[in-house]
């Protein structure tokens, strides 16, 4: 089964609910994602607890601050033992470069596995008009490959982006190993909610995503384990398909 590519977002407000989800879904997902809601509610001890139970964690705190602060936050994420953490590419070259260097140094000096450092390009909830309102006069389709290239040049291991942008990212960056993580996944017949640039699990895999992140379609399902299995089946059928889009 194509489980390693699936990251489940633990977007809940307390540690107990997160533990129950991990218990129900463990063994069939590649990684669990802890974002700002759960991290603010339950803190780093829950991250340590889930990692010591044998699961991998993507710490999705989307750092965006002065270079020194983000680099030092990255060091703490490394010490927590997360497999992936992220920051906003809009924080710029120096912020990304200093973080990548600090993380490598810490991992080497203190004996930790170096986490993947991933840059958020443009949030999948942002449309062209969202960008225009904050002063960016470029469509997501133009901004995303530009930020992906900057992220790669700044030592990032990959990006988070809409599944619709995987193709332009792959053409923009130089490394074939550049990781693309895609949220904004909606299985057929599910609510799009606030996500604007969405696609199906199958569409994301066919487009060349390395990982897909799924939150509400699993968390809000009456039976999360069943919803998860349906998504995995869909991913599996696309993995068997050789067509690329
Ligand atoms: O519930 P849903 O499947 O929309 O959840 C998507 C998850 O991915 C959320 O946890 C959200 O914070 C995260 N995410 C995103 N867009 C990005 C980066 C992360 O939706 N660009």
């Amino acid at each position: 089964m194509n489980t390693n590519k699936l990251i489940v977002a633990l977007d809940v407000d307390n540690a107990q609910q997160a533990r129950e989800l991990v218990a129900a879904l463990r063994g069939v997902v590649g990684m669990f994602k802890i974002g700002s809601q759960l991290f603010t509610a339950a803190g780093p001890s829950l991250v340590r607890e889930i990692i010591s139970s044998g699961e991998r964690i993507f710490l999705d705190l989307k750092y965006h601050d002065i270079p020194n602060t983000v680099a030092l936050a990255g060091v703490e994420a490394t010490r927590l033992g997360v497999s992936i953490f992220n920051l906003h590419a809009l924080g710029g070259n120096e912020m990304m470069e200093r973080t990548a260097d600090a993380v490598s140094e810490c991992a080497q000096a203190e004996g930790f596995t170096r986490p993947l450092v991933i840059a958020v390009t443009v949030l999948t909830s942002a449309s062209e008009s969202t960008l225009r309102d904050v002063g960016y006069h470029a469509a997501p389709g133009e901004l995303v490959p530009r930020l992906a290239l900057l992220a790669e040049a700044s030592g990032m291991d990959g990006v988070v982006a809409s599944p619709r942008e995987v193709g332009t990212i792959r053409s923009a960056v130089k490394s074939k190993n550049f990781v693309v993580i895609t949220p904004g996944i909606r299985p057929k017949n599910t609510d799009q909610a606030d996500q604007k640039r969405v696609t199906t699990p199958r569409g994301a895999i066919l487009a060349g995503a390395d990982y897909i992140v799924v939150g509400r379609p699993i968390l809000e399902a009456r039976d999360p384990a069943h919803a998860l299995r349906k998504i995995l089946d869909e991913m599996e059928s696309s993995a068997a398909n050789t067509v690329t889009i």
Side-chain angles (χ1 to χ4, degrees):
M1 256 214 228
N2 203 6
T3 53
N4 290 342
K5 286 178 178 257
L6 183 62
I7 301 177
V8 173
L10 295 174
D11 291 336
V12 293
D13 65 6
N14 65 84
Q16 197 44 37
Q17 224 183 323
R19 286 186 193 109
E20 284 166 15
L21 278 164
V22 171
L25 306 177
R26 76 161 65 246
V28 272
V29 297
M31 215 177 292
F32 290 97
K33 184 171 84 64
I34 294 188
S36 38
Q37 180 190 18
L38 183 59
F39 192 81
T40 305
S45 63
L46 182 67
V47 179
R48 283 190 206 97
E49 181 186 319
I50 296 175
I51 292 172
S52 46
S53 80
E55 297 301 320
R56 300 170 75 209
I57 291 289
F58 169 9
L59 188 65
D60 176 22
L61 297 179
K62 300 187 181 72
Y63 301 129
H64 188 170
D65 207 317
I66 58 170
N68 187 58
T69 300
V70 175
L72 294 178
V75 166
E76 296 310 325
T78 306
R79 288 175 174 156
L80 266 182
V82 303
S83 299
I84 300 180
F85 77 89
N86 60 4
L87 44 68
H88 273 283
L90 286 168
N93 164 262
E94 189 189 342
M95 188 196 81
M96 290 190 276
E97 214 164 72
R98 281 185 53 183
T99 303
D101 291 348
V103 163
S104 298
E105 252 169 60
C106 165
Q108 205 178 5
E110 299 179 24
F112 293 102
T113 305
R114 186 190 181 282
L116 293 182
V117 190
I118 298 290
V120 176
T121 52
V122 177
L123 291 172
T124 40
S125 57
S127 65
E128 196 160 345
S129 81
T130 318
L131 294 178
R132 207 178 318 112
D133 289 347
V134 294
Y136 291 106
H137 295 282
E142 290 167 58
L143 203 50
V144 167
R146 180 190 176 127
L147 290 171
L149 191 58
L150 179 70
E152 185 185 40
S154 308
M156 299 292 96
D157 299 294
V159 287
V160 182
S162 155
R164 296 189 192 176
E165 281 133 18
V166 181
T168 46
I169 290 168
R170 294 257 176 247
S171 328
V173 300
K174 296 184 176 70
S175 167
K176 286 201 172 59
N177 299 324
F178 198 66
V179 173
V180 182
I181 302 179
T182 59
I185 302 296
R186 290 294 175 268
K188 275 179 230 140
N189 309 323
T190 44
D191 183 10
Q192 194 164 319
D194 58 351
Q195 298 283 20
K196 306 247 170 23
R197 306 193 322 281
V198 300
T199 193
T200 60
R202 177 183 158 81
I205 296 298
L206 288 177
D210 294 295
Y211 294 96
I212 69 170
V213 176
V214 186
R216 286 163 289 184
I218 290 175
L219 306 185
E220 291 174 0
R222 230 172 298 150
D223 180 351
H226 177 71
L228 175 77
R229 270 194 308 275
K230 274 177 59 185
I231 291 171
L232 287 173
D233 286 347
E234 204 182 317
M235 289 166 73
E236 184 74 0
S237 71
S238 47
N241 193 325
T242 50
V243 178
T244 44
I245 53 171

